[in-house]
Amino acid sequence: MGNETLTITDNRTGKTYEVPVQNGTIKALDLRQIKIGPDDFGLMTYDPAFMNTASCKSKITFIDGDKGILRYRGYPIEQLAERSTYLETAFLLINGELPTRAELEDWTYQVNHHTIIHENIKKFMDGFHYDANPMGMLVGTVGALSTFYKEAKNIHDPENRQKQIYRLIGKMITLAGFAYRHSRGLPFAYPDNELSYAGNFLNMLFRMTEPKYKPHPVLEKALDVLFILHADHEQNCSTNAMRSVGSSHVDPFSAVAGAAAALYGPLHGGANAEVLYMLDLIGTMNNIPDFIKSVKEGKGKLMGFGHRVYKNYDPRAKIIKHLADQVFEVTGRNPKLDMALELERIALSDEYFIKRKLYPNVDFYSGLIYQAMGFPIDMFPVLFAIGRTSGWIAQWQEMLMDGEQKIARPRQIYLGYDKRDYQTLDQRSATAA
Ligand code: CMC
């Protein structure tokens, strides 16, 4: 390698600066020395939505958007989806290595034995309106857990942190299950810790009067794979929220509530639900060409298409499409599948989508699977949140251990008024008149 530096000439002053290049980046703070005078604050970069700014160094998830590659701690997502389980993958993300048999047994035991929630949480679950959105309920209740586990604020104590991690992964499925049961007016179903993680979740959703719930093995496996596919995705909107909120050193329950709130939005975790609403709106195959036309005219987006990072294909979408076949063999084919396939076919051969590199993302088919499995649409983001919790925790811990990190605090370009004097209400009314 030659000289790993960047030479910058400031044409305003004629001065030249040399800044180091490391890992294909320059440090934004190295630009601060570039000034036009002693009173100048120094040069900054302007990067709304972090389009070209690395906010951290990470060893957790690798994505090559052009090649359609996704790896957790070096392991390809395809191998993890086929051979791992969600709890094993969660361990990998959080601890950096796949567990030994003894570690996995202990991890599974600990997570399973932290699924029960305090009975008071049931009370405020009951306080939600009968038609409250389950994702809103999840955001509220996961944040409220911090009031039950006050020691969770001791985030610099590794043993304490570990306990909150068991609690977060364990209780997430219980909160999600209770939110669903409340929205259906059903009695809460308690965890059954003899079941797998995904099986236990299905138990808390769908158990009726049977003494022991037995999940269908194909659906249980499919849900587990979906949790793996959603477990992490480097610096996405909700993970950025987790790191940003966590950088204030708040407890992890509050930080997860912030991350889950970010995931709630239709451009992020809400997109899988939007796909189903879109398919409902289109209604029949005959309406697809008109719908595509309206998207191209800028009258809306083709939900489940496009990605900030993937510009070739989303490897998760490929796995999900295959998974859909297995699920539909058990549940029967989702009637909306044909419409989705036709939308994909048209979009992938249409100049508008090709030019903008818009491909189906993880959400395009996941909603169809969830619906076939009996989940109502408003539960889809909740399912995303359950899987993503392990990624949020891994990224939060990495941020806490990183000596270069500080409280997140971006700069701004102020374009508002210069100083002006306060006017009384009478003066302002006179001016307005
Ligand atoms: N349908 C139609 N046009 C689109 C779409 C779409 N789904 N996505 C992007 N475009 C167009 C956009 O209008 C723009 O066109 P132009 O250059 O003419 O202005 C161009 O493609 C570039 O789009 P962008 O908005 O600059 O891309 P972005 O990287 O800011 O947005 C995205 C990424 C995922 C927010 C966006 O593609 C989108 O809104 N997709 C639909 C929602 C969705 O499926 N979200 C789930 C993302 S995957 C799960 C996750 O990680 O959260």
PDB file of all heavy atoms in Angstrom, residues 233 266-269 271 295 300-308 311 316 352-353 356 358 361-363 384, ligand 1:
ATOM      1  N   HIS A 233     -28.804  -6.452  11.319  1.00  0.00           N
ATOM      2  CA  HIS A 233     -28.599  -5.936   9.978  1.00  0.00           C
ATOM      3  C   HIS A 233     -27.751  -4.682  10.026  1.00  0.00           C
ATOM      4  O   HIS A 233     -28.101  -3.658   9.446  1.00  0.00           O
ATOM      5  CB  HIS A 233     -29.951  -5.672   9.296  1.00  0.00           C
ATOM      6  CG  HIS A 233     -29.888  -5.952   7.832  1.00  0.00           C
ATOM      7  ND1 HIS A 233     -30.270  -5.062   6.885  1.00  0.00           N
ATOM      8  CD2 HIS A 233     -29.433  -7.030   7.169  1.00  0.00           C
ATOM      9  CE1 HIS A 233     -30.077  -5.582   5.695  1.00  0.00           C
ATOM     10  NE2 HIS A 233     -29.573  -6.770   5.836  1.00  0.00           N
ATOM     11  N   PRO A 266     -43.342   2.625   9.061  1.00  0.00           N
ATOM     12  CA  PRO A 266     -43.639   1.890   7.832  1.00  0.00           C
ATOM     13  C   PRO A 266     -42.449   1.733   6.885  1.00  0.00           C
ATOM     14  O   PRO A 266     -42.465   0.847   6.039  1.00  0.00           O
ATOM     15  CB  PRO A 266     -44.747   2.716   7.162  1.00  0.00           C
ATOM     16  CG  PRO A 266     -44.654   4.067   7.769  1.00  0.00           C
ATOM     17  CD  PRO A 266     -44.119   3.875   9.160  1.00  0.00           C
ATOM     18  N   LEU A 267     -41.407   2.555   7.041  1.00  0.00           N
ATOM     19  CA  LEU A 267     -40.244   2.393   6.163  1.00  0.00           C
ATOM     20  C   LEU A 267     -39.252   1.374   6.713  1.00  0.00           C
ATOM     21  O   LEU A 267     -38.266   1.044   6.065  1.00  0.00           O
ATOM     22  CB  LEU A 267     -39.528   3.728   5.956  1.00  0.00           C
ATOM     23  CG  LEU A 267     -40.327   4.817   5.255  1.00  0.00           C
ATOM     24  CD1 LEU A 267     -39.450   6.016   4.950  1.00  0.00           C
ATOM     25  CD2 LEU A 267     -40.984   4.317   3.976  1.00  0.00           C
ATOM     26  N   HIS A 268     -39.510   0.882   7.905  1.00  0.00           N
ATOM     27  CA  HIS A 268     -38.560  -0.051   8.528  1.00  0.00           C
ATOM     28  C   HIS A 268     -39.336  -1.324   8.884  1.00  0.00           C
ATOM     29  O   HIS A 268     -39.758  -2.062   7.998  1.00  0.00           O
ATOM     30  CB  HIS A 268     -37.919   0.666   9.726  1.00  0.00           C
ATOM     31  CG  HIS A 268     -36.752  -0.016  10.350  1.00  0.00           C
ATOM     32  ND1 HIS A 268     -36.090  -1.064   9.772  1.00  0.00           N
ATOM     33  CD2 HIS A 268     -36.113   0.198  11.549  1.00  0.00           C
ATOM     34  CE1 HIS A 268     -35.102  -1.454  10.561  1.00  0.00           C
ATOM     35  NE2 HIS A 268     -35.104  -0.707  11.662  1.00  0.00           N
ATOM     36  N   GLY A 269     -39.593  -1.563  10.173  1.00  0.00           N
ATOM     37  CA  GLY A 269     -40.246  -2.818  10.575  1.00  0.00           C
ATOM     38  C   GLY A 269     -41.711  -2.886  10.200  1.00  0.00           C
ATOM     39  O   GLY A 269     -42.314  -3.957  10.200  1.00  0.00           O
ATOM     40  N   ALA A 271     -42.805  -2.260   7.304  1.00  0.00           N
ATOM     41  CA  ALA A 271     -42.945  -2.450   5.850  1.00  0.00           C
ATOM     42  C   ALA A 271     -43.623  -3.770   5.497  1.00  0.00           C
ATOM     43  O   ALA A 271     -44.365  -3.852   4.517  1.00  0.00           O
ATOM     44  CB  ALA A 271     -41.572  -2.365   5.181  1.00  0.00           C
ATOM     45  N   VAL A 295     -47.092   3.888  -9.190  1.00  0.00           N
ATOM     46  CA  VAL A 295     -45.825   3.934  -8.434  1.00  0.00           C
ATOM     47  C   VAL A 295     -44.785   4.698  -9.246  1.00  0.00           C
ATOM     48  O   VAL A 295     -44.069   5.570  -8.731  1.00  0.00           O
ATOM     49  CB  VAL A 295     -45.328   2.501  -8.108  1.00  0.00           C
ATOM     50  CG1 VAL A 295     -43.883   2.524  -7.597  1.00  0.00           C
ATOM     51  CG2 VAL A 295     -46.226   1.832  -7.078  1.00  0.00           C
ATOM     52  N   GLY A 300     -46.739   6.746  -4.853  1.00  0.00           N
ATOM     53  CA  GLY A 300     -46.622   5.760  -3.763  1.00  0.00           C
ATOM     54  C   GLY A 300     -45.457   4.853  -4.061  1.00  0.00           C
ATOM     55  O   GLY A 300     -44.867   4.932  -5.139  1.00  0.00           O
ATOM     56  N   LYS A 301     -45.140   3.995  -3.073  1.00  0.00           N
ATOM     57  CA  LYS A 301     -43.996   3.105  -3.270  1.00  0.00           C
ATOM     58  C   LYS A 301     -44.468   1.676  -3.407  1.00  0.00           C
ATOM     59  O   LYS A 301     -45.553   1.327  -2.929  1.00  0.00           O
ATOM     60  CB  LYS A 301     -43.065   3.206  -2.066  1.00  0.00           C
ATOM     61  CG  LYS A 301     -42.186   4.425  -2.135  1.00  0.00           C
ATOM     62  CD  LYS A 301     -41.151   4.412  -1.049  1.00  0.00           C
ATOM     63  CE  LYS A 301     -40.135   5.519  -1.286  1.00  0.00           C
ATOM     64  NZ  LYS A 301     -39.300   5.748  -0.126  1.00  0.00           N
ATOM     65  N   LEU A 302     -43.655   0.885  -4.036  1.00  0.00           N
ATOM     66  CA  LEU A 302     -43.912  -0.544  -4.080  1.00  0.00           C
ATOM     67  C   LEU A 302     -43.318  -1.100  -2.790  1.00  0.00           C
ATOM     68  O   LEU A 302     -42.094  -1.261  -2.676  1.00  0.00           O
ATOM     69  CB  LEU A 302     -43.250  -1.151  -5.321  1.00  0.00           C
ATOM     70  CG  LEU A 302     -43.489  -2.626  -5.590  1.00  0.00           C
ATOM     71  CD1 LEU A 302     -44.966  -2.979  -5.534  1.00  0.00           C
ATOM     72  CD2 LEU A 302     -42.937  -3.003  -6.962  1.00  0.00           C
ATOM     73  N   MET A 303     -44.187  -1.309  -1.805  1.00  0.00           N
ATOM     74  CA  MET A 303     -43.688  -1.697  -0.481  1.00  0.00           C
ATOM     75  C   MET A 303     -43.049  -3.087  -0.554  1.00  0.00           C
ATOM     76  O   MET A 303     -43.513  -3.954  -1.300  1.00  0.00           O
ATOM     77  CB  MET A 303     -44.830  -1.680   0.549  1.00  0.00           C
ATOM     78  CG  MET A 303     -45.429  -0.306   0.747  1.00  0.00           C
ATOM     79  SD  MET A 303     -44.223   1.012   1.030  1.00  0.00           S
ATOM     80  CE  MET A 303     -43.729   0.700   2.711  1.00  0.00           C
ATOM     81  N   GLY A 304     -41.976  -3.269   0.233  1.00  0.00           N
ATOM     82  CA  GLY A 304     -41.251  -4.545   0.176  1.00  0.00           C
ATOM     83  C   GLY A 304     -40.214  -4.560  -0.937  1.00  0.00           C
ATOM     84  O   GLY A 304     -39.589  -5.586  -1.186  1.00  0.00           O
ATOM     85  N   PHE A 305     -40.037  -3.424  -1.590  1.00  0.00           N
ATOM     86  CA  PHE A 305     -39.005  -3.286  -2.627  1.00  0.00           C
ATOM     87  C   PHE A 305     -38.033  -2.193  -2.229  1.00  0.00           C
ATOM     88  O   PHE A 305     -38.422  -1.184  -1.656  1.00  0.00           O
ATOM     89  CB  PHE A 305     -39.645  -2.907  -3.976  1.00  0.00           C
ATOM     90  CG  PHE A 305     -39.902  -4.102  -4.848  1.00  0.00           C
ATOM     91  CD1 PHE A 305     -40.852  -5.034  -4.485  1.00  0.00           C
ATOM     92  CD2 PHE A 305     -39.191  -4.300  -6.019  1.00  0.00           C
ATOM     93  CE1 PHE A 305     -41.093  -6.155  -5.264  1.00  0.00           C
ATOM     94  CE2 PHE A 305     -39.414  -5.404  -6.813  1.00  0.00           C
ATOM     95  CZ  PHE A 305     -40.375  -6.342  -6.435  1.00  0.00           C
ATOM     96  N   GLY A 306     -36.771  -2.401  -2.598  1.00  0.00           N
ATOM     97  CA  GLY A 306     -35.769  -1.362  -2.373  1.00  0.00           C
ATOM     98  C   GLY A 306     -35.068  -1.545  -1.043  1.00  0.00           C
ATOM     99  O   GLY A 306     -35.618  -2.145  -0.108  1.00  0.00           O
ATOM    100  N   HIS A 307     -33.850  -1.084  -0.982  1.00  0.00           N
ATOM    101  CA  HIS A 307     -33.084  -1.150   0.256  1.00  0.00           C
ATOM    102  C   HIS A 307     -31.951  -0.156   0.189  1.00  0.00           C
ATOM    103  O   HIS A 307     -31.356   0.039  -0.863  1.00  0.00           O
ATOM    104  CB  HIS A 307     -32.524  -2.565   0.482  1.00  0.00           C
ATOM    105  CG  HIS A 307     -32.214  -2.817   1.916  1.00  0.00           C
ATOM    106  ND1 HIS A 307     -31.026  -2.434   2.494  1.00  0.00           N
ATOM    107  CD2 HIS A 307     -32.954  -3.379   2.899  1.00  0.00           C
ATOM    108  CE1 HIS A 307     -31.055  -2.765   3.768  1.00  0.00           C
ATOM    109  NE2 HIS A 307     -32.205  -3.330   4.049  1.00  0.00           N
ATOM    110  N   ARG A 308     -31.665   0.469   1.338  1.00  0.00           N
ATOM    111  CA  ARG A 308     -30.567   1.427   1.374  1.00  0.00           C
ATOM    112  C   ARG A 308     -29.237   0.759   1.044  1.00  0.00           C
ATOM    113  O   ARG A 308     -28.370   1.362   0.397  1.00  0.00           O
ATOM    114  CB  ARG A 308     -30.521   2.069   2.771  1.00  0.00           C
ATOM    115  CG  ARG A 308     -29.319   2.970   3.042  1.00  0.00           C
ATOM    116  CD  ARG A 308     -29.302   4.210   2.171  1.00  0.00           C
ATOM    117  NE  ARG A 308     -30.484   5.032   2.273  1.00  0.00           N
ATOM    118  CZ  ARG A 308     -30.719   5.933   3.223  1.00  0.00           C
ATOM    119  NH1 ARG A 308     -29.855   6.103   4.175  1.00  0.00           N
ATOM    120  NH2 ARG A 308     -31.807   6.651   3.202  1.00  0.00           N
ATOM    121  N   LYS A 311     -28.258  -3.507  -3.339  1.00  0.00           N
ATOM    122  CA  LYS A 311     -28.545  -2.950  -4.659  1.00  0.00           C
ATOM    123  C   LYS A 311     -28.457  -4.043  -5.716  1.00  0.00           C
ATOM    124  O   LYS A 311     -28.330  -3.763  -6.895  1.00  0.00           O
ATOM    125  CB  LYS A 311     -27.572  -1.802  -4.968  1.00  0.00           C
ATOM    126  CG  LYS A 311     -27.636  -0.642  -3.981  1.00  0.00           C
ATOM    127  CD  LYS A 311     -28.999   0.061  -3.968  1.00  0.00           C
ATOM    128  CE  LYS A 311     -29.110   1.104  -2.859  1.00  0.00           C
ATOM    129  NZ  LYS A 311     -30.465   1.572  -2.591  1.00  0.00           N
ATOM    130  N   ARG A 316     -31.835 -12.387   2.274  1.00  0.00           N
ATOM    131  CA  ARG A 316     -32.889 -12.870   3.178  1.00  0.00           C
ATOM    132  C   ARG A 316     -34.167 -13.152   2.395  1.00  0.00           C
ATOM    133  O   ARG A 316     -34.912 -14.080   2.690  1.00  0.00           O
ATOM    134  CB  ARG A 316     -33.147 -11.832   4.274  1.00  0.00           C
ATOM    135  CG  ARG A 316     -31.915 -11.497   5.090  1.00  0.00           C
ATOM    136  CD  ARG A 316     -32.120 -10.270   5.950  1.00  0.00           C
ATOM    137  NE  ARG A 316     -32.442  -9.089   5.169  1.00  0.00           N
ATOM    138  CZ  ARG A 316     -32.789  -7.922   5.668  1.00  0.00           C
ATOM    139  NH1 ARG A 316     -32.865  -7.772   6.976  1.00  0.00           N
ATOM    140  NH2 ARG A 316     -33.062  -6.892   4.899  1.00  0.00           N
ATOM    141  N   TYR A 352     -37.937   1.221 -14.820  1.00  0.00           N
ATOM    142  CA  TYR A 352     -37.953   2.110 -13.644  1.00  0.00           C
ATOM    143  C   TYR A 352     -37.260   1.441 -12.461  1.00  0.00           C
ATOM    144  O   TYR A 352     -36.402   2.023 -11.796  1.00  0.00           O
ATOM    145  CB  TYR A 352     -39.404   2.452 -13.267  1.00  0.00           C
ATOM    146  CG  TYR A 352     -39.541   3.281 -12.005  1.00  0.00           C
ATOM    147  CD1 TYR A 352     -39.621   4.671 -12.058  1.00  0.00           C
ATOM    148  CD2 TYR A 352     -39.586   2.670 -10.744  1.00  0.00           C
ATOM    149  CE1 TYR A 352     -39.751   5.416 -10.894  1.00  0.00           C
ATOM    150  CE2 TYR A 352     -39.704   3.407  -9.580  1.00  0.00           C
ATOM    151  CZ  TYR A 352     -39.790   4.782  -9.666  1.00  0.00           C
ATOM    152  OH  TYR A 352     -39.909   5.529  -8.516  1.00  0.00           O
ATOM    153  N   PHE A 353     -37.626   0.167 -12.203  1.00  0.00           N
ATOM    154  CA  PHE A 353     -37.108  -0.548 -11.037  1.00  0.00           C
ATOM    155  C   PHE A 353     -35.675  -1.026 -11.272  1.00  0.00           C
ATOM    156  O   PHE A 353     -34.849  -1.007 -10.359  1.00  0.00           O
ATOM    157  CB  PHE A 353     -38.029  -1.727 -10.683  1.00  0.00           C
ATOM    158  CG  PHE A 353     -39.405  -1.260 -10.285  1.00  0.00           C
ATOM    159  CD1 PHE A 353     -40.420  -1.135 -11.230  1.00  0.00           C
ATOM    160  CD2 PHE A 353     -39.679  -0.909  -8.976  1.00  0.00           C
ATOM    161  CE1 PHE A 353     -41.672  -0.683 -10.868  1.00  0.00           C
ATOM    162  CE2 PHE A 353     -40.936  -0.450  -8.606  1.00  0.00           C
ATOM    163  CZ  PHE A 353     -41.938  -0.331  -9.560  1.00  0.00           C
ATOM    164  N   ARG A 356     -33.198   1.866 -10.839  1.00  0.00           N
ATOM    165  CA  ARG A 356     -33.018   2.274  -9.442  1.00  0.00           C
ATOM    166  C   ARG A 356     -32.560   1.115  -8.548  1.00  0.00           C
ATOM    167  O   ARG A 356     -32.475   1.264  -7.334  1.00  0.00           O
ATOM    168  CB  ARG A 356     -34.324   2.864  -8.915  1.00  0.00           C
ATOM    169  CG  ARG A 356     -34.647   4.213  -9.528  1.00  0.00           C
ATOM    170  CD  ARG A 356     -36.043   4.651  -9.207  1.00  0.00           C
ATOM    171  NE  ARG A 356     -36.321   5.966  -9.769  1.00  0.00           N
ATOM    172  CZ  ARG A 356     -36.581   6.199 -11.053  1.00  0.00           C
ATOM    173  NH1 ARG A 356     -36.586   5.194 -11.926  1.00  0.00           N
ATOM    174  NH2 ARG A 356     -36.822   7.416 -11.483  1.00  0.00           N
ATOM    175  N   LEU A 358     -34.066  -1.661  -7.633  1.00  0.00           N
ATOM    176  CA  LEU A 358     -35.081  -1.982  -6.634  1.00  0.00           C
ATOM    177  C   LEU A 358     -35.465  -3.457  -6.746  1.00  0.00           C
ATOM    178  O   LEU A 358     -36.013  -3.885  -7.755  1.00  0.00           O
ATOM    179  CB  LEU A 358     -36.326  -1.091  -6.840  1.00  0.00           C
ATOM    180  CG  LEU A 358     -36.073   0.412  -6.716  1.00  0.00           C
ATOM    181  CD1 LEU A 358     -37.304   1.196  -7.128  1.00  0.00           C
ATOM    182  CD2 LEU A 358     -35.669   0.769  -5.293  1.00  0.00           C
ATOM    183  N   ASN A 361     -37.215  -6.965  -0.907  1.00  0.00           N
ATOM    184  CA  ASN A 361     -36.420  -7.062   0.318  1.00  0.00           C
ATOM    185  C   ASN A 361     -37.050  -8.097   1.254  1.00  0.00           C
ATOM    186  O   ASN A 361     -38.047  -8.737   0.905  1.00  0.00           O
ATOM    187  CB  ASN A 361     -36.262  -5.683   0.979  1.00  0.00           C
ATOM    188  CG  ASN A 361     -37.602  -5.056   1.315  1.00  0.00           C
ATOM    189  OD1 ASN A 361     -38.477  -5.718   1.870  1.00  0.00           O
ATOM    190  ND2 ASN A 361     -37.779  -3.785   0.972  1.00  0.00           N
ATOM    191  N   VAL A 362     -36.491  -8.222   2.447  1.00  0.00           N
ATOM    192  CA  VAL A 362     -36.909  -9.257   3.404  1.00  0.00           C
ATOM    193  C   VAL A 362     -38.414  -9.217   3.674  1.00  0.00           C
ATOM    194  O   VAL A 362     -39.039 -10.235   3.962  1.00  0.00           O
ATOM    195  CB  VAL A 362     -36.092  -9.096   4.717  1.00  0.00           C
ATOM    196  CG1 VAL A 362     -36.447  -7.810   5.430  1.00  0.00           C
ATOM    197  CG2 VAL A 362     -36.240 -10.273   5.636  1.00  0.00           C
ATOM    198  N   ASP A 363     -38.989  -8.030   3.556  1.00  0.00           N
ATOM    199  CA  ASP A 363     -40.392  -7.871   3.948  1.00  0.00           C
ATOM    200  C   ASP A 363     -41.385  -8.261   2.869  1.00  0.00           C
ATOM    201  O   ASP A 363     -42.585  -8.363   3.141  1.00  0.00           O
ATOM    202  CB  ASP A 363     -40.656  -6.413   4.346  1.00  0.00           C
ATOM    203  CG  ASP A 363     -39.932  -6.071   5.621  1.00  0.00           C
ATOM    204  OD1 ASP A 363     -39.917  -6.936   6.514  1.00  0.00           O
ATOM    205  OD2 ASP A 363     -39.388  -4.963   5.725  1.00  0.00           O
ATOM    206  N   PHE A 384     -40.816  -8.998  13.914  1.00  0.00           N
ATOM    207  CA  PHE A 384     -39.525  -8.420  13.519  1.00  0.00           C
ATOM    208  C   PHE A 384     -38.750  -8.022  14.784  1.00  0.00           C
ATOM    209  O   PHE A 384     -37.561  -8.326  14.943  1.00  0.00           O
ATOM    210  CB  PHE A 384     -39.801  -7.205  12.618  1.00  0.00           C
ATOM    211  CG  PHE A 384     -38.639  -6.682  11.816  1.00  0.00           C
ATOM    212  CD1 PHE A 384     -38.865  -5.955  10.646  1.00  0.00           C
ATOM    213  CD2 PHE A 384     -37.327  -6.869  12.208  1.00  0.00           C
ATOM    214  CE1 PHE A 384     -37.817  -5.445   9.890  1.00  0.00           C
ATOM    215  CE2 PHE A 384     -36.268  -6.354  11.457  1.00  0.00           C
ATOM    216  CZ  PHE A 384     -36.520  -5.637  10.309  1.00  0.00           C
TER     217      PHE A 384
HETATM  218  N1  CMC B   1     -40.995   1.751  -4.836  1.00  0.00           N
HETATM  219  C1  CMC B   1     -40.843   2.679  -5.828  1.00  0.00           C
HETATM  220  N2  CMC B   1     -39.794   3.497  -5.923  1.00  0.00           N
HETATM  221  C2  CMC B   1     -38.852   3.387  -4.987  1.00  0.00           C
HETATM  222  C3  CMC B   1     -38.936   2.450  -3.934  1.00  0.00           C
HETATM  223  C4  CMC B   1     -40.059   1.611  -3.888  1.00  0.00           C
HETATM  224  N3  CMC B   1     -40.201   0.698  -2.904  1.00  0.00           N
HETATM  225  N4  CMC B   1     -37.844   2.572  -3.137  1.00  0.00           N
HETATM  226  C5  CMC B   1     -37.115   3.534  -3.686  1.00  0.00           C
HETATM  227  N5  CMC B   1     -37.710   4.035  -4.786  1.00  0.00           N
HETATM  228  C6  CMC B   1     -37.188   5.074  -5.693  1.00  0.00           C
HETATM  229  C7  CMC B   1     -37.211   6.431  -5.035  1.00  0.00           C
HETATM  230  O1  CMC B   1     -38.428   7.116  -5.295  1.00  0.00           O
HETATM  231  C8  CMC B   1     -36.028   7.081  -5.719  1.00  0.00           C
HETATM  232  O2  CMC B   1     -36.405   7.424  -7.025  1.00  0.00           O
HETATM  233  P1  CMC B   1     -35.819   8.799  -7.691  1.00  0.00           P
HETATM  234  O3  CMC B   1     -34.350   8.564  -7.819  1.00  0.00           O
HETATM  235  O4  CMC B   1     -36.543   8.895  -8.979  1.00  0.00           O
HETATM  236  O5  CMC B   1     -36.147   9.903  -6.739  1.00  0.00           O
HETATM  237  C9  CMC B   1     -35.016   5.948  -5.849  1.00  0.00           C
HETATM  238  O6  CMC B   1     -35.814   4.759  -5.914  1.00  0.00           O
HETATM  239  C10 CMC B   1     -34.040   5.849  -4.718  1.00  0.00           C
HETATM  240  O7  CMC B   1     -34.780   5.687  -3.512  1.00  0.00           O
HETATM  241  P2  CMC B   1     -34.375   6.290  -2.117  1.00  0.00           P
HETATM  242  O8  CMC B   1     -35.624   6.707  -1.389  1.00  0.00           O
HETATM  243  O9  CMC B   1     -33.297   7.304  -2.286  1.00  0.00           O
HETATM  244  O10 CMC B   1     -33.734   5.027  -1.412  1.00  0.00           O
HETATM  245  P3  CMC B   1     -33.420   4.911   0.127  1.00  0.00           P
HETATM  246  O11 CMC B   1     -32.174   4.143   0.219  1.00  0.00           O
HETATM  247  O12 CMC B   1     -33.451   6.244   0.791  1.00  0.00           O
HETATM  248  O13 CMC B   1     -34.659   4.102   0.698  1.00  0.00           O
HETATM  249  C11 CMC B   1     -36.045   2.348   1.420  1.00  0.00           C
HETATM  250  C12 CMC B   1     -34.629   2.761   1.019  1.00  0.00           C
HETATM  251  C13 CMC B   1     -36.036   0.899   1.914  1.00  0.00           C
HETATM  252  C14 CMC B   1     -36.520   3.240   2.603  1.00  0.00           C
HETATM  253  C15 CMC B   1     -36.983   2.532   0.208  1.00  0.00           C
HETATM  254  O14 CMC B   1     -36.545   1.719  -0.878  1.00  0.00           O
HETATM  255  C16 CMC B   1     -38.434   2.240   0.546  1.00  0.00           C
HETATM  256  O15 CMC B   1     -39.131   3.115   1.053  1.00  0.00           O
HETATM  257  N6  CMC B   1     -38.914   0.987   0.264  1.00  0.00           N
HETATM  258  C17 CMC B   1     -40.261   0.622   0.603  1.00  0.00           C
HETATM  259  C18 CMC B   1     -40.365   0.327   2.083  1.00  0.00           C
HETATM  260  C19 CMC B   1     -39.722  -0.975   2.445  1.00  0.00           C
HETATM  261  O16 CMC B   1     -39.941  -2.006   1.805  1.00  0.00           O
HETATM  262  N7  CMC B   1     -38.943  -0.957   3.549  1.00  0.00           N
HETATM  263  C20 CMC B   1     -38.312  -2.171   4.088  1.00  0.00           C
HETATM  264  C21 CMC B   1     -36.828  -2.106   3.999  1.00  0.00           C
HETATM  265  S1  CMC B   1     -36.100  -3.700   4.358  1.00  0.00           S
HETATM  266  C22 CMC B   1     -36.359  -3.947   6.030  1.00  0.00           C
HETATM  267  C23 CMC B   1     -35.510  -3.083   6.868  1.00  0.00           C
HETATM  268  O17 CMC B   1     -34.288  -3.249   6.856  1.00  0.00           O
HETATM  269  O18 CMC B   1     -36.088  -2.250   7.580  1.00  0.00           O
END
